[in-house]
């Protein structure tokens, strides 16, 4: 099996080295970047399986880094933030982050989140039929690509996984808590805003009528009759 590669983007050297040491001990190859521009340059030069990304960075911040690297190639992003502010977290999710941790955090928790994100991508790539068709939308699970009317639509890894999860159960209402458990791997249901943010992004990219809201419950994917 090829060694999985992680890019750690953190300007606090002590934190960066601690994160890198923990992940290297678990068999990952880890590179470190300490500012926004060097993070984007390293990402473009390498082939990373996941990015651990601090929000507050010199040069330009982690939100801009996330925008730029997701425009290059979809990759799971675990965002680190010093502030437990819901607005900041939702903005991070909106620009393509898949999960987040608020500082201070334990290395055990960070490691667990990294493994969950990687397993989710691997599971989505290997399960189900190779292609799903929803009217003019085509989901190629093997290539992790989505097209609408023949034109490719860029989705982040989590957006793709959420779309596939809903598409495998068309017209079935899935509660937010279930989506958190089955797509994100979160055992507790306190992150339902995370689901809402990703549904909003899917509607923006694929059509406002694609996903139906069942108020107080969750979401269902609508397909043409």
């Amino acid at each position: 099996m090829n060694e999985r590669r992680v890019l750690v983007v953190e300007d606090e050297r002590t934190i960066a080295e601690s994160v890198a040491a923990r992940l290297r001990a678990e068999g990952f190859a880890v590179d470190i970047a300490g500012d926004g521009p060097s993070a984007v340059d390293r990402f473009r030069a390498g082939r990373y399986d996941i990015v651990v990304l601090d929000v507050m960075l010199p040069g330009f911040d982690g939100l801009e880094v996330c925008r730029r690297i997701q425009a290059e190639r979809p990759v799971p992003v675990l965002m680190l933030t010093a502030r437990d502010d819901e607005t900041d977290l939702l903005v991070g999710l909106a620009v393509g982050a898949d999960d987040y941790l608020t500082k201070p955090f334990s290395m055990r928790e960070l490691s667990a989140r990294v493994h969950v994100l990687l397993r989710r991508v691997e599971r989505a790539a290997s399960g189900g039929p190779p292609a799903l068709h929803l009217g003019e939308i085509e989901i190629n699970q093997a290539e992790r690509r989505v097209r609408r009317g023949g034109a490719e639509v860029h989705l982040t890894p989590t957006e793709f996984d959420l779309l596939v999860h809903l598409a495998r159960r068309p017209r079935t209402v899935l509660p937010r808590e279930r989506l958190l458990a089955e797509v994100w791997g979160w055992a507790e249901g306190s992150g339902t805003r995370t689901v809402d943010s990703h549904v909003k992004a899917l509607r923006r990219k694929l059509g406002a009528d694609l996903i139906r809201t069942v108020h107080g419950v969750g979401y269902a994917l609508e397909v043409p009759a």
Side-chain angles (χ1 to χ4, degrees), residues 186-204:
W186 294 3
E188 46 83 26
S190 63
T192 53
R193 292 277 188 175
T194 301
V195 180
D196 298 341
S197 178
H198 282 83
V199 167
K200 183 178 179 180
L202 287 176
R203 285 171 170 160
R204 185 178 69 251

Side-chain angles (χ1 to χ4, degrees), residues 114-225:
V114 167
H115 283 286
V116 165
L117 285 173
L118 289 171
R119 281 198 304 269
R120 204 175 69 219
V121 171
E122 292 163 0
R123 185 173 65 245
S126 62
L132 295 168
H133 296 271
L134 311 167
E136 65 174 359
I137 297 172
E138 178 187 351
I139 307 170
N140 187 318
Q141 295 187 82
E143 297 180 4
R144 293 183 65 83
R145 293 177 182 272
V146 175
R147 292 179 175 83
R148 181 183 183 189
E152 187 164 351
V153 179
H154 177 89
L155 299 183
T156 69
T158 296
E159 289 167 3
F160 181 90
D161 294 340
L162 177 59
L163 176 63
V164 168
H165 202 77
L166 291 167
R168 288 175 179 170
R169 303 159 183 81
R171 301 190 181 91
T172 300
V173 180
L174 299 178
R176 291 176 175 84
E177 292 79 8
R178 178 176 170 183
L179 289 169
L180 274 174
E182 296 180 352
V183 178
W184 277 263
W186 294 3
E188 46 83 26
S190 63
T192 53
R193 292 277 188 175
T194 301
V195 180
D196 298 341
S197 178
H198 282 83
V199 167
K200 183 178 179 180
L202 287 176
R203 285 171 170 160
R204 185 178 69 251
K205 295 178 179 181
L206 296 173
D209 297 331
L210 178 67
I211 301 172
R212 176 169 58 93
T213 299
V214 180
H215 293 288
V217 182
Y219 298 102
L221 189 139
E222 296 297 302
V223 294

Side-chain angles (χ1 to χ4, degrees), residues 4-170:
R4 290 179 294 184
R5 300 185 65 199
V6 184
L7 177 60
V8 175
V9 187
E10 169 63 70
D11 64 320
E12 295 185 46
R13 194 70 189 178
T14 302
I15 296 177
E17 292 290 357
S18 296
V19 171
R22 174 62 186 247
L23 294 176
R24 285 172 182 147
E26 298 189 13
F28 293 98
V30 183
D31 291 326
I32 296 174
D35 58 63
S38 64
V40 174
D41 289 343
R42 274 192 173 274
F43 183 81
R44 288 172 175 165
R47 190 75 182 178
Y48 295 98
D49 298 289
I50 189 168
V51 177
V52 178
L53 175 62
D54 189 28
V55 172
M56 302 302 293
L57 295 169
F60 46 76
D61 65 17
L63 300 176
E64 183 61 24
V65 172
C66 193
R67 288 188 191 96
R68 296 191 187 194
I69 65 175
Q70 293 290 11
E72 294 281 333
R73 176 177 64 85
V75 64
V77 173
L78 174 60
M79 191 161 276
L80 309 178
T81 175
R83 294 179 295 178
D84 190 14
D85 185 280
E86 186 177 61
T87 301
D88 290 344
L89 300 178
L90 292 178
V91 169
L93 296 170
V95 299
D98 298 276
D99 198 357
Y100 57 84
L101 277 176
T102 302
K103 297 178 181 178
F105 53 82
S106 71
M107 291 300 160
R108 179 179 180 181
E109 175 70 6
L110 181 139
S111 172
R113 296 291 185 94
V114 167
H115 283 286
V116 165
L117 285 173
L118 289 171
R119 281 198 304 269
R120 204 175 69 219
V121 171
E122 292 163 0
R123 185 173 65 245
S126 62
L132 295 168
H133 296 271
L134 311 167
E136 65 174 359
I137 297 172
E138 178 187 351
I139 307 170
N140 187 318
Q141 295 187 82
E143 297 180 4
R144 293 183 65 83
R145 293 177 182 272
V146 175
R147 292 179 175 83
R148 181 183 183 189
E152 187 164 351
V153 179
H154 177 89
L155 299 183
T156 69
T158 296
E159 289 167 3
F160 181 90
D161 294 340
L162 177 59
L163 176 63
V164 168
H165 202 77
L166 291 167
R168 288 175 179 170
R169 303 159 183 81

